[in-house]
Amino acid sequence: MERNSNSALSDYTSGNPKISVVIPLYNKAHTIVKTLNTVFAQTYQYFEVIIVNDGSTDESIKVIHDNFNDSRIRIFHQTNLGVSAARNRGVDEAKGNYIAFLDADDEWFPQYLAEAVDVINNFDCNIIITGRLSQDTKVNYKRSCIPTQYKNKVSHIDFFENPHVFMHISATIIKSNILKQQTDWNRFIQGQKYNEDFTFLYRVIMHYPQVVYIGKDLSIYNGGIDGQSTSVLSEQQRLIDGLLFRNSVWNEYRQITHNKTKEMFKRFMRYETRHTVLCMIKSQNYKRLHLFLKGLNNTCKTNTFNYFELFVYNNKRLKLIAMLYIYYTKIIWRSHRFPRIK
């Protein structure tokens, strides 16, 4: 595909921001061409593409060279260190004003970057998140994941009202100077393979809560793809990384000073952690539940549970009481009418 130099020059001279598209790549020869085609089909063309080859053993790099000849593509190679390290490397190499994350098997609609730039030019914000389609071609599944009250709207949001309905890493753009700071809360945790994007975004948004949400399907999450790392993770790895996520974000909670953000974060995390406990109780996986509760740090435990809860959750004979209590807390949480997908 040839570079559209006239469009790129026009965007530059008009003062619009340059976007760095960061793509971690590991054995995605079967998807990367389709993903990159959606990048180069953008109506906004002032961007660079940073591909971090995380030790691929297939022909991922060859198919890129065979299908694209564009000077905006910059490829960096590293030994296999995992997706978190690859994204961090991409951030380090980025030269744009904003960084847009995109996984090597996801896609963007043509207006994705243009809509984001429109927000950058008209809103006071540090982070842009867009709506997404979630699809799994293996089971013919497709669903729009936009909270009902935000459909076709563009507005500031309180991210921690319900992060799960807002966030997807391939639908997220962040001001680059936030991620260039020399600290650890703006980095993906190297070695974390599950919930690594949650850990990253939660910590960044705790420090920079000005988020604008575009309630349109502008990105596509593709599930059921061969070679997706999350599909082959063991239950043990999911438990370890799930605890790392919760413990890391609760540690960060102690560092922030935005009182409203802290309160909303605490409210959501109570809801989310209790929901996780409920799933384990319903499946009667008490061994996993005991390991989960034992692995939570003190900040998480003291801000989430009371002594009554911890007692009933650890007692299999009190299963019904535990479930009823969590359902009761769910009713209270939902009474606040936080964003949901219906």
Side-chain angles (χ1 to χ4, degrees):
M1 179 179 291
E2 295 183 358
R3 177 175 178 172
N4 187 339
S5 57
N6 290 333
S7 176
L9 179 61
S10 174
D11 287 328
Y12 175 74
T13 55
S14 66
N16 279 328
K18 181 178 181 179
I19 310 295
S20 294
V21 182
V22 171
I23 302 177
L25 178 67
Y26 178 71
N27 289 353
K28 290 295 172 65
H30 53 302
T31 63
I32 187 60
V33 171
K34 187 175 183 180
T35 294
L36 284 174
N37 277 336
T38 71
V39 175
F40 287 104
Q42 293 296 300
T43 58
Y44 184 84
Q45 286 283 306
Y46 187 42
F47 58 78
E48 64 172 354
V49 178
I50 299 173
I51 299 172
V52 180
N53 176 32
D54 189 42
S56 294
T57 58
D58 67 356
E59 295 189 337
S60 293
I61 299 302
K62 182 179 183 301
V63 299
I64 293 172
H65 288 308
D66 287 348
N67 287 275
F68 301 95
N69 180 23
D70 195 300
S71 61
R72 288 172 294 179
I73 296 178
R74 300 165 60 209
I75 300 176
F76 300 89
H77 303 273
Q78 63 183 32
T79 57
N80 182 235
L81 297 173
V83 66
S84 293
R87 292 196 185 113
N88 287 337
R89 175 72 182 279
V91 169
D92 291 339
E93 301 292 348
K95 297 180 179 179
N97 309 101
Y98 285 79
I99 295 174
F101 294 98
L102 178 62
D103 283 350
D105 48 17
D106 290 335
E107 303 168 53
W108 287 340
F109 287 100
Q111 291 291 328
Y112 178 81
L113 290 180
E115 295 267 4
V117 169
D118 187 59
V119 167
I120 290 168
N121 290 334
N122 292 285
F123 284 80
D124 180 18
C125 68
N126 297 300
I127 300 165
I128 302 104
I129 300 176
T130 80
R132 70 188 186 279
L133 281 178
S134 180
Q135 67 179 12
D136 187 331
T137 55
K138 287 186 177 181
V139 295
N140 194 28
Y141 169 88
K142 183 181 292 186
R143 185 188 187 193
S144 176
C145 300
I146 299 175
T148 306
Q149 63 263 53
Y150 288 103
K151 284 191 175 181
N152 298 313
K153 297 179 181 178
V154 180
S155 59
H156 282 97
I157 60 169
D158 191 330
F159 176 78
F160 289 111
E161 283 186 341
N162 198 344
H164 288 191
V165 306
F166 290 128
M167 70 161 285
H168 174 47
I169 196 63
S170 293
T172 302
I173 298 175
I174 302 176
K175 192 177 292 186
S176 61
N177 61 13
I178 293 175
L179 303 184
K180 295 288 189 178
Q181 297 177 45
Q182 296 299 310
T183 182
D184 62 350
W185 52 259
N186 60 0
R187 310 289 287 180
F188 292 87
I189 297 178
Q190 185 164 327
Q192 187 177 13
K193 301 176 181 179
Y194 177 68
N195 282 159
E196 83 290 337
D197 48 353
F198 282 72
T199 308
F200 167 75
L201 274 181
Y202 279 43
R203 296 199 297 176
V204 169
I205 292 174
M206 273 194 250
H207 289 272
Y208 288 88
Q210 289 177 299
V211 179
V212 168
Y213 182 74
I214 304 174
K216 303 176 184 178
D217 290 320
L218 295 174
S219 67
I220 301 175
Y221 165 71
N222 288 313
I225 301 292
D226 292 337
Q228 283 185 322
S229 59
T230 53
S231 64
V232 296
L233 291 179
S234 67
E235 183 175 319
Q236 179 70 9
Q237 185 67 56
R238 290 173 182 268
L239 175 63
I240 292 171
D241 284 351
L243 287 169
L244 179 58
F245 155 59
R246 291 174 178 82
N247 290 337
S248 296
V249 298
W250 275 107
N251 284 339
E252 207 61 46
Y253 165 85
R254 297 182 298 179
Q255 310 302 320
I256 62 173
T257 58
H258 310 292
N259 290 333
K260 183 180 178 183
T261 300
K262 290 188 74 164
E263 180 57 35
M264 195 60 70
F265 167 83
K266 182 164 65 174
R267 183 177 291 181
F268 176 78
M269 288 302 294
R270 285 172 173 171
Y271 168 81
E272 192 274 344
T273 305
R274 284 171 175 150
H275 177 77
T276 300
V277 170
L278 177 64
C279 292
M280 295 180 193
I281 291 174
K282 289 172 69 174
S283 65
Q284 300 192 62
N285 194 342
Y286 277 87
K287 180 180 179 180
R288 182 182 176 89
L289 176 58
H290 295 327
L291 291 171
F292 176 77
L293 293 174
K294 183 178 179 180
L296 295 173
N297 64 23
N298 287 332
T299 305
C300 177
K301 284 183 181 177
T302 57
N303 282 283
T304 305
F305 306 119
N306 55 49
Y307 289 114
F308 165 77
E309 287 181 85
L310 290 174
F311 174 74
V312 298
Y313 297 159
N314 278 293
N315 194 326
K316 189 175 182 179
R317 292 175 297 179
L318 300 177
K319 173 184 175 180
L320 181 59
I321 295 174
M323 292 175 61
L324 288 174
Y325 182 81
I326 296 175
Y327 281 128
Y328 167 71
T329 64
K330 278 176 169 281
I331 292 172
I332 295 175
W333 186 83
R334 291 185 178 180
S335 69
H336 291 281
R337 299 185 182 277
F338 294 134
R340 295 178 62 206
I341 299 171
K342 296 180 181 178

